[in-house]
Amino acid sequence: MSLALFRWSFLLACLLSTVALAGESRPRRQKEKAAKLVRVEGGHRLHRDTATALKRMATDALKDNVALRVTSGYRSLREQRFLYDQYRRGRGNKAARPGRSNHQRGLAVDLVIGERTSKRYLWLEANACRFGFRRTVPSEPWHWEYRPSSTFPPVVGFDCLGNPTTSREPPAPIARTDAS
Ligand SMILES: [Zn+2]
């Protein structure tokens, strides 16, 4: 191959890959819009209802000097497939089968937890239900799902574990419907 021909083929390859990438980003944006995704702390994405509830919970946690940090939110089918493959090969945490994870709906969020005795974890156990969040995977203390229609707030004066609370005002009630 002559040098000139090589240069032309290289240029053409670059041009084609640019066109391919541009074509890929639009459907992705449309999918995100259809899934009602919004960006949250750390650049992660969540369903907008999950994001709103998480923001309220994080604000409340800060009053107790607990900072909630997100490590994983919405995942595309491709991302979930990758994590599931890693899990199957024994290289990653447990991951649901592609298509069966609530991360793909933007309703699940993974948070920095540390130990089960950490202040963050204990705070979540005692308070997350007030914001419609609960744990759904026993082996994953970092995994919380927004399920407001089936997660009930505690009786006034008690926390989510049934322990008496201090005098702090409970938050205003939230809509008890699951995100669609
Ligand atoms: Zn998770």
Side-chain angles (χ1 to χ4, degrees):
M1 190 190 289
S2 74
L3 191 61
L5 189 61
F6 175 76
R7 278 184 184 150
W8 273 111
S9 358
F10 180 72
L11 209 69
L12 192 67
C14 289
L15 196 71
L16 286 174
S17 61
T18 310
V19 169
L21 281 175
E24 204 177 65
S25 65
R26 185 181 279 184
R28 185 179 162 174
R29 279 202 298 270
Q30 283 170 347
K31 266 187 202 168
E32 287 185 8
K33 202 175 168 189
K36 299 173 183 167
L37 298 174
V38 294
R39 292 223 173 251
V40 295
E41 172 260 319
H44 300 280
R45 290 163 292 162
L46 286 172
H47 186 285
R48 64 185 179 202
D49 294 348
T50 314
T52 303
L54 179 68
K55 197 173 175 186
R56 290 184 63 205
M57 183 161 79
T59 304
D60 204 61
L62 267 184
K63 291 175 193 166
D64 290 330
N65 292 317
V66 172
L68 298 182
R69 296 266 173 270
V70 177
T71 58
S72 184
Y74 166 81
R75 293 173 195 156
S76 65
L77 179 64
R78 199 171 167 182
E79 288 162 335
Q80 188 66 31
R81 202 173 277 152
F82 173 77
L83 291 174
Y84 184 67
D85 285 348
Q86 295 291 100
Y87 161 61
R88 291 291 301 267
R89 289 174 194 180
R91 292 186 199 153
N93 288 322
K94 189 177 177 185
R97 238 171 235 284
R100 303 192 65 178
S101 168
N102 268 335
H103 278 287
Q104 287 181 251
R105 297 174 66 205
L107 304 181
V109 61
D110 291 347
L111 300 166
V112 174
I113 293 296
E115 299 294 316
R116 282 179 200 241
T117 51
S118 71
K119 196 175 174 186
R120 277 193 186 112
Y121 183 71
L122 295 178
W123 190 93
L124 283 163
E125 274 214 316
N127 296 281
C129 77
R130 296 193 286 119
F131 302 90
F133 285 93
R134 67 183 156 104
R135 284 187 52 205
T136 55
V137 185
S139 60
E140 298 186 355
W142 56 85
H143 179 97
W144 294 79
E145 295 194 6
Y146 183 54
R147 297 195 181 188
S149 65
S150 55
T151 304
F152 301 101
V155 177
V156 176
F158 292 88
D159 67 15
C160 299
L161 295 170
N163 296 320
T165 54
T166 49
S167 58
R168 226 158 35 80
E169 286 290 304
I174 54 170
R176 295 277 143 196
T177 51
D178 270 332
S180 55

